[in-house]
Amino acid sequence: MYKTPCSRLSGLIGVSVRQKLARNVAQSNISARSLIQLYRRDPSNWLTYQHLTFLRRQYVTKNKSELHQRAIPKQAPAFGTILDERDDSIERQVQRVPTLEPVVEDTLPELQDGTDQPLHPAASTLNPTTEDALIENSTAGAVTGADETPHVHLETDEARDARLDRQWKELKVDVAELPDVYARLAKIKLTALVVLTAAAGYAIAPVPFDPVTFFVASLGTGLASCAANSINQYFEVPFDSNMNRTKNRPLVRGQISPLHAVSFALACGVPGVALLSLAINPLTGCLGALNIFLYTCCYTPMKRISISNTWVGALVGAIPPIMGWTAATGALDAGALLLGGFLYCWQFPHFNALSWNLREDYSRGGYRMMSVTHPGMCRRVALRHSLGLIGLSTLAPALDVTTWTFPLISLPINLYISYLALRFYRQGDRSSARKLFFCSLWHLPMLLLLLLSCKKPRTEQEAPLPSAPLPLSIHS
């Protein structure tokens, strides 16, 4: 029977589909059997986040495009006890050098072979294993009726605790340390700065001040920031362990488990976004969720891929004051974008100066920062955005956000940070970078305070007075 080309093509497609299904079924059976074996071997590890392939890969692997610069590993000791760490509960001694106590000559047997020397001196030509066996055999054969036992190296409790502390051990969380651990996991200082900028955006907005809305907006923004910072640390544990600045973070030190950190992030992020969406307005909630996404899913992986991560990180820092403005007004006005522009420009002199003195650390961690791969661009970008602060200050009264006194009174601090950025651009040393960084720490609060003091008075539109009722006329 003759088959058309379409029927033959459909037959080939059907055969290939059946082959793929058969392979997938076989792989599924293998995976199911492996999971069943894992469950039977250790039920406590069943259905944890470790079995989620995406999270596991992000947590324990590094990106292929890293800089491949690592710290020199410690040299293993030539002698001593070598522990096999394949099993946490079993210690297998591979090599052991016995400790010999001083031997008293009176207790040695007078076994001589024509000379005045004993048969088994501790000769230096014998290796430790042969020497130990010779001493043990000769003592057992020569000394009769003695109750001596072979020497056993006794380990003190302090040495045992120190040795076990360097090995893998069961994680025990101290409840008394959890507040401090949560604070460092959430990067409490960075979160405080985020809440400060959001509060400034709310206060500068041209609406009446509502304390309840202000508190709820600040709380929701802070919870969203805690969630983003926690997820950021979860993904960066393999890299933070190589950096001096981040090697003492809770996840790196093993103070809490990764699952505990993810749970803390969810416990902060879900209520934070819900508060912003339901208690404030959906626009602010969407901005909060967008900021978490940008920080964890865009900025965090881009740090090991491209120097564009700095611009994405600046965008993340520019959103909180916009959230404060939208929480007050419910709209995305030009004033909100102006506040976001201030934060966007300020972050480049701030972070570029900070990263300049941490170049070795970032390089060791595998992060592609401008200060590591493009040092000239790092200095130029810092200077360019410092000058941009002067332009934005001039634009503020034109957008009816502040009065015309703001560009004048903010000019000295803007000129000073621009001067330090110029010195950093020309010299490019640690001293100039340090001065620019410390200037940026007080420049932002001062700039926000001046914005608030020069806030344009709110012009309330007076509602028209109700007209007097006309006198009723009685028509005959």
Side-chain angles (χ1 to χ4, degrees):
M1 183 178 180
Y2 178 74
K3 295 183 178 180
T4 62
C6 293
S7 60
R8 283 183 292 179
L9 180 61
S10 61
L12 292 176
I13 294 176
V15 171
S16 62
V17 169
R18 284 195 297 271
Q19 292 176 353
K20 290 183 179 180
L21 288 176
R23 288 196 299 267
N24 292 336
V25 169
Q27 293 177 359
S28 300
N29 292 334
I30 295 174
S31 301
R33 286 196 297 269
S34 62
L35 288 177
I36 292 173
Q37 293 174 0
L38 175 65
Y39 173 71
R40 290 177 177 175
R41 184 171 68 248
D42 191 358
S44 62
N45 291 333
W46 181 245
L47 289 180
T48 64
Y49 89 109
Q50 298 284 0
H51 301 95
L52 301 178
T53 305
F54 170 75
L55 293 179
R56 183 181 60 194
R57 289 179 179 175
Q58 291 293 326
Y59 184 73
V60 301
T61 61
K62 296 184 179 181
N63 195 282
K64 295 181 180 179
S65 61
E66 61 174 328
L67 297 183
H68 298 288
Q69 298 183 12
R70 296 183 274 186
I72 301 177
K74 295 182 179 179
Q75 298 294 333
F79 298 97
T81 301
I82 301 177
L83 300 176
D84 188 6
E85 296 183 352
R86 288 177 297 180
D87 193 345
D88 297 347
S89 61
I90 300 177
E91 298 174 6
R92 182 169 62 87
Q93 295 186 358
V94 180
Q95 179 183 3
R96 180 178 180 272
V97 179
T99 303
L100 298 178
E101 293 182 349
V103 181
V104 183
E105 295 183 358
D106 295 340
T107 61
L108 292 176
E110 297 297 332
L111 298 178
Q112 301 179 0
D113 54 349
T115 63
D116 295 333
Q117 300 295 331
L119 284 177
H120 53 280
S124 60
T125 58
L126 298 177
N127 56 42
T129 306
T130 307
E131 180 182 343
D132 191 21
L134 180 59
I135 293 175
E136 183 178 356
N137 294 334
S138 61
T139 305
V143 181
T144 58
D147 296 334
E148 295 182 3
T149 58
H151 175 75
V152 178
H153 175 63
L154 298 177
E155 187 178 25
T156 62
D157 295 338
E158 292 79 5
R160 179 178 178 276
D161 293 340
R163 175 172 57 82
L164 293 179
D165 187 63
R166 295 190 297 268
Q167 303 173 18
W168 293 101
K169 55 186 181 295
E170 183 181 358
L171 182 65
K172 296 181 180 179
V173 180
D174 189 358
V175 179
E177 295 180 355
L178 280 182
D180 179 66
V181 169
Y182 288 154
R184 288 186 288 126
L185 190 64
K187 300 180 184 177
I188 195 64
K189 294 182 180 179
L190 179 60
T191 298
L193 180 62
V194 170
V195 174
L196 173 66
T197 56
Y202 186 95
I204 296 172
V207 293
F209 184 81
D210 185 1
V212 176
T213 306
F214 173 79
F215 174 77
V216 174
S218 301
L219 179 61
T221 304
L223 290 175
S225 176
C226 291
N229 292 327
S230 302
I231 298 175
N232 169 262
Q233 291 188 46
Y234 169 83
F235 285 138
E236 293 186 342
V237 168
F239 313 97
D240 289 343
S241 60
N242 293 327
M243 299 174 60
N244 293 328
R245 188 173 68 96
T246 57
K247 65 182 180 181
N248 290 323
R249 286 179 173 176
L251 282 172
V252 178
R253 295 181 59 187
Q255 291 180 290
I256 59 173
S257 66
L259 182 60
H260 192 161
V262 173
S263 302
F264 172 75
L266 292 176
C268 292
V270 174
V273 175
L275 274 177
L276 295 175
S277 302
L278 302 177
I280 305 301
N281 53 64
L283 177 59
T284 307
C286 290
L287 289 176
L290 175 64
N291 220 20
I292 295 176
F293 173 78
L294 289 176
Y295 190 73
T296 58
C297 299
C298 297
Y299 171 70
T300 298
M302 284 184 67
K303 290 166 67 176
R304 298 179 296 276
I305 298 175
S306 170
I307 62 172
S308 302
N309 69 84
T310 307
W311 281 267
V312 178
L315 180 62
V316 172
I319 291 180
I322 300 178
M323 293 172 59
W325 184 286
T326 57
T329 63
L332 196 61
D333 302 328
L337 300 179
L338 176 68
L339 293 178
F342 275 116
L343 266 295
Y344 183 85
C345 289
W346 171 84
Q347 286 178 92
F348 286 95
H350 170 77
F351 181 75
N352 288 13
L354 171 66
S355 63
W356 187 263
N357 290 337
L358 298 173
R359 285 177 292 176
E360 294 83 2
D361 236 14
Y362 280 120
S363 178
R364 190 182 303 113
Y367 294 114
R368 294 188 178 273
M369 299 297 177
M370 277 191 289
S371 58
V372 177
T373 59
H374 299 75
M377 180 185 295
C378 178
R379 302 195 301 269
R380 289 195 304 271
V381 170
L383 175 60
R384 187 183 307 151
H385 288 82
S386 298
L387 296 174
L389 292 172
I390 301 176
L392 289 176
S393 299
T394 308
L395 191 62
L399 296 177
D400 288 335
V401 178
T402 64
T403 61
W404 284 99
T405 57
F406 173 72
L408 298 177
I409 63 174
S410 63
L411 185 61
I413 62 173
N414 289 335
L415 286 178
Y416 184 67
I417 194 173
S418 299
Y419 165 73
L420 293 180
L422 179 61
R423 285 187 55 184
F424 173 60
Y425 170 74
R426 290 180 175 178
Q427 299 177 4
D429 55 359
R430 292 182 176 271
S431 176
S432 59
R434 191 179 300 109
K435 290 181 180 179
L436 178 59
F437 171 72
F438 283 111
C439 174
S440 66
L441 293 180
W442 60 260
H443 177 272
L444 180 63
M446 183 65 68
L447 185 66
L448 295 177
L449 185 61
L450 293 177
L451 272 169
L452 184 59
S453 62
C454 297
K455 173 183 174 181
K456 196 165 186 180
R458 182 170 56 91
T459 58
E460 298 183 358
Q461 295 180 356
E462 297 181 358
L465 296 176
S467 56
L470 295 176
L472 297 177
S473 59
I474 302 175
H475 300 280
S476 57

